[in-house]
Amino acid sequence: ITAVNSASADKLDGIIIAVNGPAVNASLKQAKAAGLTVMAVDTVPTPPDLVDATYGTPNLQAGKLIGQYAAAKLHG
């Protein structure tokens, strides 16, 4: 929360954050109101419109691909 608030106060262009709960919601709203681009990684915040974009990995698909790679390297 302190880092988000500092980014807003310092008028940075944007922030990237791994949201892990609603405690940061007010700070994210302030950051967007201050004109910062706000991007979340890994987890979509609640509500989703607290950020401009979310970047994450589809874990089920990633796990399947990793398993296929490992099986091929170990010859099954």
Side-chain angles (χ1 to χ4, degrees):
I1 293 171
T2 300
V4 174
N5 293 341
S6 293
S8 297
D10 293 343
K11 300 188 186 320
L12 299 181
D13 292 332
I15 57 170
I16 299 172
I17 184 169
V19 178
N20 66 353
V24 73
N25 287 5
S27 293
L28 294 177
K29 287 178 187 176
Q30 289 175 349
K32 284 186 68 174
L36 276 71
T37 299
V38 179
M39 176 181 260
V41 293
D42 297 330
T43 304
V44 178
T46 303
D49 65 352
L50 285 172
V51 297
D52 297 298
T54 300
Y55 178 81
T57 302
N59 291 332
L60 184 62
Q61 182 182 5
K64 183 178 178 180
L65 291 171
I66 291 167
Q68 290 171 344
Y69 173 83
K73 289 292 182 183
L74 297 171
H75 306 290

